[in-house]
Each structure stands twice: as structure tokens, then as C-alpha cells.
Amino acid sequence: MIKDRIIKMLCLFTTLMLISCDDVFDVYPYDVNIKGETHINATNISKIEGLCKDKDSLKIAFISDTHGWYSDFKDEVADINRRSDIDFVIHCGDITDTGTTKEYEWARSIFNKLNVLHVALIGNHDFLGTGDQAYHVMFGDNDFSFIAGRVKFVCLNTNATEYDYLASVPNFDFMESELKSDSADFDRTVIVMHARPGSEQFNNNVSKAFNYFVHLFPGIMFCVSGHEHATQADELFNDKLMWYGVDCAQHRKYDIFTITKEGYKYEVVNF
């Protein structure tokens, strides 16, 4: 009887503590209780499209895989800020290491130090736990696009492993719709993703079909990805289309693409 009373008292005490202390719930890492700014991609895309609508040339900084390396990420942002010629930044995914809400908030605080606008794709690390839900709240849809200076940037979720290859990843229906959507407003295309064909994250059963769809886009210029923590520049399918890989923040490198009417230039920046 005494033992039962002790157990009941302990249960009651625990319940009262949980009810009386809201902070208890703040420590759960996957609560998706995002405080502050949300839907960042949509907000910034609207601004990017307005600012870049009539531009004849664009200079874009591509960064990727900043997860866990917050000091390097801060230095990367500071290095971009030292330049006065960047129009906007695209992050190719793996914003977080384990998909926790706090990691997303930490990353957002660093993003917000940029002097220019940014968008961010979802990476495989960003799916961990409830990370994909947190990404959706903070940044938006997994697949999205925007147009800057008559160039359409098609940003795709290619993290097929995170769905055990059961979902439509990459989403061919989305790609097909983007071929025709706003077709009068763009005549060139850049495809951006986290994991490119050939990586373990990509559904390589559909690599050739994916490449076929890529080539349907008007004026396809090049493709950019992250994930592999290496600087890459390859002609993956021997068809003259270049696929560029952006290194991770830990290696203190990022890429800059300058797009003009004549074509584009590519450089790797060490910081």
C-alpha cells in the first residue's frame, strides 16, 4: 500500500510539473514549433523576381552543406557580404545536421546576416526526424522555381532515399508543369538540386528519364547540386550539359555563376 501511494504521488508530482512548466516542451528537438520568420523562399522569391526582372546579367552565389559547421557558415556569409556584385544566394541543401527545429533557427539567424536575398533547397539531412516538416514551415515547398533576368531556376527535391524510393522524387509532374508555366517570361533554364544523378541519394533507376526532362527546358544552361562535399564540374551524360557540384562549408568553398546574354562564367571561391 505504501509503495502504491509513493508511485501515485510521484506520478501526480510529474504531471503537475509538466502542467506548470511550459519550458519543458521547448526542449523537444522535433516539435516543429518554429518561432519567427517562416515561408522564407516565397517571400524572397517575390523580391528576387522584382529586383532582377529586367537585368541583362546575373551573379549568383551557390553554397551548400553548411550543416554543423556554423562558424564556417558565418565566415562564408561574411565573405559573400564583402562582395558588392552578388544578386542573390542559392543554398543547395543540408541546412541542418539532424533536422531539429533549433538547427533550422540557428541557420536562419546566419542566413539573415546576408546582405542579399537567398533561397534554400532541402537536403537529405534536413529530412531527419521531423526536419522535412520544419523545412516546409520555415522555407516552403520541396520543389519550387523562380525567374530572374529571363532565366528560370528550377529547384528540385532529389532526396529519393529519404522516401525509400516510394515517392515521386524527383517529381516529373512538377518538372513537366514548369516547362510551360510562365513560358513567355523565360528563355533559359538552370536546374538546381541537392543530390545529382549517380549519388546514393538519387533514384538512379530514373537517371536517364530525369536527364531527358532536363533537356526539354528552354535554353538549358547547366545543373547545380550539393551533397557530395566536393567541387565538381562534369559532363555526366556525354551530351555537352555541365553538372556542377558545390563544396561544403567545412571546406570553405562556394561557387559563383555569372550569367550574361552570351552565356555564363563559373568560379570557385575559397574563403
Side-chain angles (χ1 to χ4, degrees):
M1 290 293 293
I2 294 175
K3 183 178 179 181
D4 290 341
R5 287 179 182 176
I6 292 172
I7 292 173
K8 289 179 180 179
M9 288 178 66
L10 287 171
C11 290
L12 178 61
F13 176 76
T14 301
T15 301
L16 289 171
M17 286 295 292
L18 289 172
I19 293 172
S20 63
C21 184
D22 292 336
D23 290 340
V24 170
F25 296 98
D26 289 338
V27 301
Y28 182 64
Y30 295 108
D31 60 7
V32 198
N33 181 22
I34 303 291
K35 298 181 178 72
E37 186 181 9
T38 57
H39 304 104
I40 293 170
N41 283 348
T43 300
N44 286 353
I45 282 171
S46 177
K47 295 175 181 178
I48 290 169
E49 290 188 324
L51 290 170
C52 298
K53 182 177 181 181
D54 298 320
K55 296 201 70 167
D56 291 331
S57 65
L58 298 170
K59 193 177 288 285
I60 310 107
F62 285 84
I63 65 176
S64 193
D65 296 83
T66 54
H67 54 116
W69 300 304
Y70 296 109
S71 293
D72 297 310
F73 187 13
K74 289 177 181 177
D75 290 346
E76 190 169 41
V77 165
D79 194 76
I80 293 171
N81 284 344
R82 277 192 282 271
R83 307 178 63 108
S84 60
D85 55 351
I86 301 298
D87 289 297
F88 54 89
V89 173
I90 297 179
H91 191 300
C92 296
D94 276 1
I95 305 160
T96 69
D97 203 34
T98 58
T100 63
T101 297
K102 282 297 182 186
E103 285 180 289
Y104 273 107
E105 291 176 344
W106 292 334
R108 182 183 59 192
S109 69
I110 300 172
F111 273 124
N112 286 342
K113 295 182 185 301
L114 279 166
N115 292 338
V116 294
L117 297 164
H118 67 278
V119 297
L121 283 75
I122 190 167
N124 58 298
H125 278 264
D126 303 321
F127 275 89
L128 298 178
T130 55
D132 56 331
Q133 297 174 45
Y135 172 89
H136 182 75
V137 173
M138 183 172 284
F139 289 99
D141 294 336
N142 291 351
D143 298 303
F144 62 94
S145 73
F146 61 97
I147 297 171
R150 295 199 59 82
V151 179
K152 174 173 270 194
F153 293 83
V154 181
C155 302
L156 302 172
N157 168 31
T158 55
N159 303 288
T161 299
E162 303 309 314
Y163 300 89
D164 292 327
Y165 303 104
L166 298 176
S168 299
V169 177
N171 188 335
F172 290 111
D173 287 339
F174 176 81
M175 293 177 71
E176 186 175 20
S177 69
E178 288 301 312
L179 289 170
K180 302 173 183 177
S181 177
D182 303 311
S183 59
D185 298 328
F186 75 100
D187 39 43
R188 291 182 293 175
T189 310
V190 173
I191 307 292
V192 191
M193 66 209 79
H194 180 62
R196 69 181 189 172
S199 76
E200 86 292 346
Q201 271 291 319
F202 198 90
N203 182 358
N204 288 299
N205 288 323
V206 299
S207 288
K208 290 182 179 180
F210 181 73
N211 186 51
Y212 172 79
F213 264 82
V214 165
H215 278 274
L216 293 179
F217 281 91
I220 181 68
M221 300 185 74
F222 55 87
C223 301
V224 186
S225 63
H227 183 58
E228 299 191 34
H229 297 198
T231 297
Q232 299 166 309
D234 305 298
E235 190 181 317
L236 286 186
F237 296 93
N238 298 314
D239 53 12
K240 298 183 179 180
L241 179 65
M242 291 298 297
W243 298 70
Y244 296 95
V246 183
D247 211 334
C248 62
Q250 185 191 34
H251 295 163
R252 301 180 69 82
K253 294 180 180 180
Y254 63 92
D255 294 356
I256 290 179
F257 285 82
T258 304
I259 299 175
T260 65
K261 287 184 175 181
E262 291 72 35
Y264 71 91
K265 293 180 180 179
Y266 155 74
E267 65 175 301
V268 179
V269 177
N270 295 275
F271 63 94

